[in-house]
Amino acid sequence: MSSLMEAVRAGRTAEAVGLLDGLTDAERRGFLPELKELRKELRKAPWEEPSRRAYPALHAAGAACETGAAAAATWIAATDMRWSQSSPALLIHILGDRDTAWLTDVTHRLAGRPASTAVPYELMAGLVRLSGCPVPTTDAYVRGWVEHIGNLRQLGNTLLDRLRKDPHLAELVDAVFGTEDIGSPLEWTSAEGPNSWVDALAQLTTEGVLDRKRTVDACVARLLRGGTTLDNRVFLRMLKALALTRDEERERIADWLALASDAVSMVASHAQSVLGSLALDGELTPRRLAEMSDAVLFRPEKKLVRAQLTLLGKVLARDASVAVEVLPSLAQAFGHEDADVQERALKLVERHLKKVDSLEVRAELGAAAGQLIPALRTRAVETLGAAPATAAALVHEELLPPAPEAARLAPAPESAVELAEEVGALMATEGDVAAFERGLDGLVRHAYRDRDALLEALGPVVARRWWAGEGPGHVQHPDDRFSRSHHSFGSASYGFDLLLATLLDKVRTDTLHEGARHGHRGRECGHSALSRVFDARVWEVAYRLRAEPLPFLLSTPSWSTGVLEPDELVDRLDTYRRLGARVSDADFAQALLRVRREDRRAAAVAAERAEALGTAEGTRLAHWLMSESPALPLSRRRTSGVRVVVELGELLDLQEDFPAEFSALGKPVTAYGDRWYCYHWNQDMQRHWLAILPERRELVAARLLRDVAAAALEDTRGAAAVLPLLAESEGVAGQATHLCLAYGLGARHPEDRLAAVDALLVLAARGQLDGARLGADLGELVRSGAVKPSRLAESVRTGAATGANATIWGILRHTLAALLADLDGDAKPAHARGLGDLLAVAAECAERSGARGELPYLAQTAARSGSSRLVTQARRLRSALVAEVAA
């Protein structure tokens, strides 16, 4: 071993660098093979002491010995040495004797790498000074500069002082405006003063250090380009800090119009205020004002729309000549979703219509009035000469999505290679029930047919798993790992890990036997009854792979929902009989839970065939198919604080003649008796639980109820994603299913509310939605504070927007009956604040569906004085329910 390699291995960086001083390029390149071999060796154990000791010296030596610019930059920025690099000062010293052009090349190659490679800014800046090259304006360099120069730990001066002294200030500031997602480091320092980027750049612009026009143009261009919320906030603050003069604002009218039209709300609001100020001073032409109004009134943000209506009212009051240009634009608001906005726009048009002589403009306004809600359209018939509404025009046809159809499960892949590919993809993405079941059945089939071919095909999949092979993160005894955790699988992919490890003899047989006999131990939660069944089945399959391979699984479903056709199960039992294969207890129990019994004719035919098999399993299946259709257990509602839950009684048919791990499915579900601490963090498992009892969704819904409730009560994310699958399941949709749906509609996060709306529409399309029950549940949850009216309003508005107006009205009429009753007194309930939004959606649905009739307590609310949103929407709903269509 050479002296250089000894110094590098020992971590003596200074000695290693000293040995390379004075050598020619050829002599330095001669050390590269040894250095690369050492690097390859250290990469196998990067966090062990020898590696961490040697890496800084190796990093420096390699940078010195690489004589090509590209190779040197690659070595310096190497990911494997990122956390144990030599210092930037030492690297600059090592590279200091190189040619200027070479240094320039290295500098720009390093600066051109992604910021995620974390090349030190001090190194890049030092090479710029050393080479005298133009400063790079790449993403990595600019981010490094912003973070370095903005570091408050640099004591003794301020950010403003440091920026003022920077020789490359103008170029780098220009680059900052062009860098995406730069808002975080710009806002990280203090909010105001000389250590604030916003105030410092504004001050430098005022002083003339930065060109004002160039800076203002760059800031406006950055806002026009858009970006993250943080970027928009920072650059908007910067624009405001620059305090544009009226001349500067006037020069950029086209930019303000573009921002008011397309920018995020806070930026559009600023542009709107600038344009509004110009308009009120008479410096915005009527055509420009109309163009601005067309853009802003089309936006969904109510705050912007209302501000625009206020502006137009002021302009029209000051200058009657603008009415011809502005009123047609004002009519854009006639189609706004908010009835209050429509009414304000109509009032403005009515007030200023006399200022317009053009018959063409009047006709245009009358035609636009067709977008108004019925009550306002009736007014517009008299004031604007709008065409009278007909009943056919006002009542919309109820539109519901087609009821989803379950997909037929494809058979397991015939090729072991194809199966291995599917298993690998499933373990990487979790997959759905169909993918899991096909993969599980495929492993069983191929292990029975040709175990060696299966193992060969699974080689690439196994090599990437945590329990196989050498290298970082290698577990020496994976069987111990499985043994410690065999009480529960946190995900479907972990169950496949057990099966693959079993096939490769990485799990002890006694561990498999113990798991198959006592698959679920220890911790309990509300989902334990479901997870036990899943775990028991997987453990039993793993044990049989080792001890007595099965030809195939009896419980593989026929459909993606988990339902198994009875004739298919009889065929599988007949094949088992002919092969002399021993039936697996958990596999057969799961098959019984999945077999379709609701089709009584098909069940009777299959039962006769099963009885004729002459086997114990055939007789058991025949009795199961001929027993009464699955009934719901006794249930009752319980409350705990603001939470409403459902308790289920006992079901003996799920306890008798079923394995011990399955019998918990038939035991009572209580509100307070179980420990509800849950260790099932992977919500993808919920779809597999639904497939355990595909014809008894209410039993699953009762155990998922607390999860979905947490989406509304505790603002958790993703818990309602299971609701569309719950709606697609079979069986009665009872109290638990509807309560799950009610909580989902009031969830904190939009994606959860959207999933609940999807589930609502699926149930409605299948004729399984009980609008009265769901409406009453929602009323109870809103009154208790479990569901916020504003969230519920967003959900039902989304449902109504699909065309399900009658469905949504059928729900809200029961919700509002409960909520309006609370207003019939002196005390104002907490939910009154958001009740106006719910009334607005209800009024729209009633108008579009042609609903008529009385709604309890609505008349008292509508008769209140004032013009609050609650009162105006109550009046609108009352008019929709009792008024005849305008003639």
Side-chain angles (χ1 to χ4, degrees), residues 379-400:
R379 242 171 69 184
V381 170
E382 300 175 1
T383 59
L384 303 183
T390 63
L394 292 177
V395 177
H396 295 228
E397 181 183 356
E398 179 77 353
L399 294 177
L400 291 172

Side-chain angles (χ1 to χ4, degrees), residues 289-347:
L289 180 58
E291 183 181 345
M292 172 195 178
S293 299
D294 283 339
V296 174
L297 294 177
F298 188 73
R299 295 183 65 116
E301 298 95 332
K302 296 177 185 177
K303 183 178 179 180
L304 292 176
V305 172
R306 288 168 180 166
Q308 190 67 18
L309 293 176
T310 301
L311 171 63
L312 292 176
K314 291 178 180 179
V315 173
L316 287 166
R318 291 188 180 190
D319 186 357
S321 65
V322 304
V324 174
E325 291 275 4
V326 170
L327 286 187
S329 298
L330 186 57
Q332 182 86 253
F334 287 175
H336 198 276
E337 63 177 18
D338 187 351
D340 291 340
V341 169
Q342 291 187 21
E343 185 171 13
R344 289 183 62 180
L346 179 59
K347 284 181 178 179

Side-chain angles (χ1 to χ4, degrees), residues 48 203 397 468 559 603 609 691 814:
E48 294 184 5
Q203 180 64 31
E397 181 183 356
W559 302 94
R609 290 183 57 212
H814 297 282

Side-chain angles (χ1 to χ4, degrees), residues 636-656:
R636 64 173 179 172
R637 298 163 72 92
R638 298 288 293 270
T639 58
S640 175
V642 299
R643 189 189 301 266
V644 178
V645 295
V646 171
E647 292 186 330
L648 298 183
E650 193 172 36
L651 280 174
L652 294 179
D653 68 319
L654 293 182
Q655 298 183 60
E656 299 170 350

Side-chain angles (χ1 to χ4, degrees), residues 668-687:
V669 177
T670 65
Y672 310 108
D674 295 335
R675 287 191 302 158
W676 281 96
Y677 171 79
C678 182
Y679 50 91
H680 298 101
W681 306 113
N682 189 339
Q683 292 172 340
D684 286 337
M685 287 299 295
Q686 294 173 342
R687 66 187 69 179

Side-chain angles (χ1 to χ4, degrees), residues 394-681:
L394 292 177
V395 177
H396 295 228
E397 181 183 356
E398 179 77 353
L399 294 177
L400 291 172
E405 297 182 1
R408 188 80 184 187
L409 209 69
E414 288 293 329
S415 162
V417 174
E418 184 183 353
L419 172 66
E421 292 175 353
E422 290 195 11
V423 169
L426 188 149
M427 296 177 76
T429 62
E430 284 294 318
D432 56 13
V433 171
F436 175 82
E437 294 293 344
R438 289 183 73 242
L440 187 63
D441 187 49
L443 283 179
V444 170
R445 289 175 182 270
H446 284 276
Y448 182 82
R449 295 175 190 169
D450 192 339
R451 187 187 189 94
D452 292 337
L454 175 61
L455 292 177
E456 182 180 355
L458 289 172
V461 178
V462 170
R464 296 191 294 269
R465 305 313 296 173
W466 54 268
W467 45 265
E470 301 275 335
H474 172 57
V475 179
Q476 293 295 328
H477 302 288
D479 51 345
D480 292 336
R481 167 65 176 170
F482 283 110
S483 178
R484 287 197 300 270
S485 62
H486 82 255
H487 61 272
S488 174
F489 296 121
S491 66
S493 64
Y494 190 71
F496 269 102
D497 273 313
L498 172 67
L499 298 174
L500 297 185
T502 299
L503 287 170
L504 271 74
D505 295 327
K506 293 286 186 178
V507 187
R508 291 192 297 260
T509 302
D510 59 346
T511 298
L512 295 172
H513 187 251
E514 177 73 7
R517 291 185 58 198
H518 306 287
H520 191 290
R521 287 182 174 181
R523 295 173 293 180
E524 293 286 327
C525 75
H527 312 120
S528 295
L530 298 167
S531 62
R532 282 180 180 180
V533 172
F534 182 90
D535 298 345
R537 182 172 174 240
V538 174
W539 273 104
E540 190 177 69
V541 169
Y543 177 69
R544 291 294 296 267
L545 285 175
R546 173 69 54 81
E548 187 182 358
L550 298 165
F552 52 83
L553 293 179
L554 296 173
S555 57
T556 302
S558 307
W559 302 94
S560 56
T561 57
V563 172
L564 172 59
E565 294 298 340
D567 58 330
E568 291 185 32
L569 180 54
V570 175
D571 291 341
R572 293 172 189 176
L573 285 174
D574 188 26
T575 303
Y576 262 63
R577 180 186 59 80
R578 288 188 286 102
L579 294 174
R582 183 172 64 88
V583 171
S584 174
D585 291 342
D587 184 35
F588 182 58
Q590 176 63 91
L592 291 178
L593 294 179
R594 284 178 169 170
V595 70
R596 188 188 297 279
R597 290 198 285 170
E598 289 188 350
D599 185 341
R600 302 307 298 161
R601 178 176 297 180
V605 173
E608 185 176 351
R609 290 183 57 212
E611 187 73 47
L613 293 177
T615 63
E617 290 78 19
T619 302
R620 173 81 172 95
L621 174 59
H623 291 167
W624 180 256
L625 290 173
M626 293 308 296
S627 62
E628 293 184 6
S629 298
L632 287 178
L634 295 176
S635 65
R636 64 173 179 172
R637 298 163 72 92
R638 298 288 293 270
T639 58
S640 175
V642 299
R643 189 189 301 266
V644 178
V645 295
V646 171
E647 292 186 330
L648 298 183
E650 193 172 36
L651 280 174
L652 294 179
D653 68 319
L654 293 182
Q655 298 183 60
E656 299 170 350
D657 299 326
F658 274 94
E661 297 301 324
F662 285 68
S663 62
L665 292 172
K667 292 181 179 178
V669 177
T670 65
Y672 310 108
D674 295 335
R675 287 191 302 158
W676 281 96
Y677 171 79
C678 182
Y679 50 91
H680 298 101
W681 306 113

